[in-house]
């Protein structure tokens, strides 16, 4: 079988030529059916590749197949260009996060899990405090919307949480290394990632309205929705996080069919300190699969 990466470039008869044809400009889509057709074409290509190489890409320790990366870059760039032009936003400010390796995601996970202060490896406030924890510690947490490692009252609460409880708090808005969709290159965060800025009437409301109306034309869907926030386990709605569905949906299909390979990759990633991954180890499938899979064509 063909391995993902440089060895996959230009192989006739495997579907790579069809992918490469779109290198110059992004594809456009007129319906959910169009997106589904492209997803199926990409899934057929993925089926020809070596599973462990694909698992490395999916879990953030490897790269996307080269010609597939070309399509991903074209689509994400196309959406950013369209948003910049339509909304009058500087192009460099449109995409705030795109590809993140497992190593980068691990650093995010660890600084949150260890509740590091700003200046000692921390990066300020994060996440959304869950109602369950807020109810248990109303005095210490008050009405603060996010966790703040620089607040002593928050630090006292965090220190009292079990490992599983800490993971649940982090996982509301940030995934573990190996589980992040940002490993793929199909998913990007646009404009701003502060949850309270995206509420109806908030500073990013107009940007969300535009994304809802236009992102599907380039094959994108909103990954985490109001429905995902009601699932068990819950993942908070992220109006800034959009996924190029033909690739991300094909990848989900691969994960469903190769769960043992994915789990092996995850176990290796988490082996440096399994205690901080107890909850996600038991629930990684929920966090990969409990996502929106329908683009919106209004």
């Amino acid at each position: 079988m063909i391995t993902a990466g440089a060895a996959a470039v230009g192989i006739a008869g495997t579907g790579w030529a069809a992918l490469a044809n779109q290198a110059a400009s992004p594809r456009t889509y007129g319906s959910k059916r169009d997106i589904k057709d492209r997803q199926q074409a990409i899934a057929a290509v993925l089926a020809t590749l070596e599973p462990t190489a694909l698992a490395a890409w999916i879990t953030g320790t490897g790269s996307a197949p080269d010609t597939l990366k070309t399509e991903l870059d074209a689509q994400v760039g196309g959406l950013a260009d369209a948003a910049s032009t339509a909304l009058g936003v500087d192009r460099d400010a449109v995409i705030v996060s795109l590809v993140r390796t497992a190593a980068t995601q691990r650093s995010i996970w660890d600084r949150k899990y260890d509740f590091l202060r700003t200046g000692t490896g921390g990066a300020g406030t994060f996440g959304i405090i869950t109602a369950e924890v807020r109810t248990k510690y109303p005095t210490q947490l008050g009405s603060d919307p996010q966790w703040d490692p620089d607040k002593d009252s928050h630090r006292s609460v965090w220190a009292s949480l079990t490992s599983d409880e800490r993971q649940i708090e982090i996982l509301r808005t940030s995934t573990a290394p190996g589980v992040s969709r940002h490993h793929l290159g199909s998913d990007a965060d646009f404009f701003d990632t502060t949850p309270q800025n995206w509420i109806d009437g908030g500073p990013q409301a107009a940007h969300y309205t535009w994304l809802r109306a236009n992102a599907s034309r380039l094959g994108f869907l909103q990954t985490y929705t109001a429905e995902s926030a009601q699932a068990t386990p819950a993942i908070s709605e992220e109006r800034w996080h959009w996924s190029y569905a033909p690739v991300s949906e094909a990848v989900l299909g691969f994960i469903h069919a190769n769960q043992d390979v994915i789990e092996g990759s995850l176990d290796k990633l988490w082996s440096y300190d399994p205690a901080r991954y107890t909850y996600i180890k038991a629930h990684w499938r929920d966090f990969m699969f409990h996502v929106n899979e329908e683009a919106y064509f209004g």
Side-chain angles (χ1 to χ4, degrees):
M1 287 192 290
I2 307 161
T3 57
V9 177
I11 302 298
T14 66
W16 290 121
L19 293 171
N21 286 342
Q22 292 301 314
S25 59
R27 288 177 175 267
T28 56
Y29 297 86
S31 68
K32 294 179 183 179
R33 180 71 258 173
D34 290 346
I35 291 175
K36 189 71 172 180
D37 288 345
R38 189 60 181 160
Q39 172 198 334
Q40 291 173 343
I42 291 173
V45 172
L46 296 184
T48 70
L49 303 181
E50 207 285 310
T52 57
L54 286 177
W57 163 44
I58 291 165
T59 58
T61 60
S63 300
D66 288 344
T67 46
L68 185 54
K69 182 180 184 301
T70 299
E71 181 169 348
L72 290 169
D73 290 347
Q75 298 304 131
V76 174
L79 183 56
D81 289 340
S84 173
T85 300
L87 296 167
V89 177
D90 186 84
R91 174 62 171 73
D92 291 339
V94 175
I95 299 175
V96 298
S97 185
L98 181 52
V99 180
R100 294 201 294 265
T101 65
T104 298
Q105 198 68 26
R106 171 181 162 175
S107 69
I108 296 170
W109 180 269
D110 285 346
R111 71 167 169 79
K112 292 179 179 180
Y113 186 92
D114 294 329
F115 220 60
L116 298 180
R117 293 183 186 272
T118 304
T120 62
T125 58
F126 70 86
I128 296 174
I129 300 171
T130 65
E132 293 80 5
V133 171
R134 191 185 303 279
T135 298
K136 288 175 64 176
Y137 302 96
T139 302
Q140 295 96 320
L141 299 175
S143 60
D144 294 340
Q146 294 182 281
W147 287 102
D148 188 347
D150 294 325
K151 277 193 172 183
D152 289 340
S153 60
H154 285 215
R155 295 182 67 82
S156 68
V157 173
W158 196 261
S160 72
L161 300 181
T162 67
S163 177
D164 277 14
E165 288 171 335
R166 291 185 183 189
Q167 292 168 61
I168 290 169
E169 294 301 304
I170 296 170
L171 286 163
R172 285 300 297 268
T173 57
S174 184
T175 49
V179 183
S180 175
R181 292 168 67 99
H182 283 287
H183 298 329
L184 300 175
S186 61
D187 289 48
D189 295 333
F190 292 90
F191 300 113
D192 176 20
T193 59
T194 304
Q196 52 266 38
N197 287 348
W198 289 84
I199 62 173
D200 293 344
Q204 297 294 341
H207 291 170
Y208 181 59
T209 298
W210 186 89
L211 287 166
R212 279 275 293 173
N214 296 280
S216 61
R217 305 300 174 185
L218 286 160
F220 284 81
L221 55 77
Q222 182 184 341
T223 310
Y224 305 113
T225 64
E227 288 72 27
S228 70
Q230 303 304 315
T232 301
I235 308 171
S236 294
E237 181 180 17
E238 295 187 355
R239 293 183 171 188
W240 57 85
H241 185 143
W242 293 76
S243 174
Y244 180 55
V247 170
S248 61
E249 288 294 290
V251 166
L252 280 181
F254 173 85
I255 296 170
H256 273 289
N258 296 272
Q259 294 181 38
D260 56 337
V261 179
I262 299 296
E263 190 158 42
S265 296
L266 294 175
D267 284 343
K268 288 180 183 178
L269 281 174
W270 302 337
S271 62
Y272 74 98
D273 188 0
R276 64 182 60 203
Y277 295 101
T278 50
Y279 182 84
I280 188 60
K281 179 175 173 58
H283 295 280
W284 68 265
R285 292 170 181 82
D286 296 327
F287 286 92
M288 281 194 172
F289 299 147
H290 287 181
V291 294
N292 174 44
E293 300 188 60
E294 292 287 336
Y296 174 76
F297 285 86

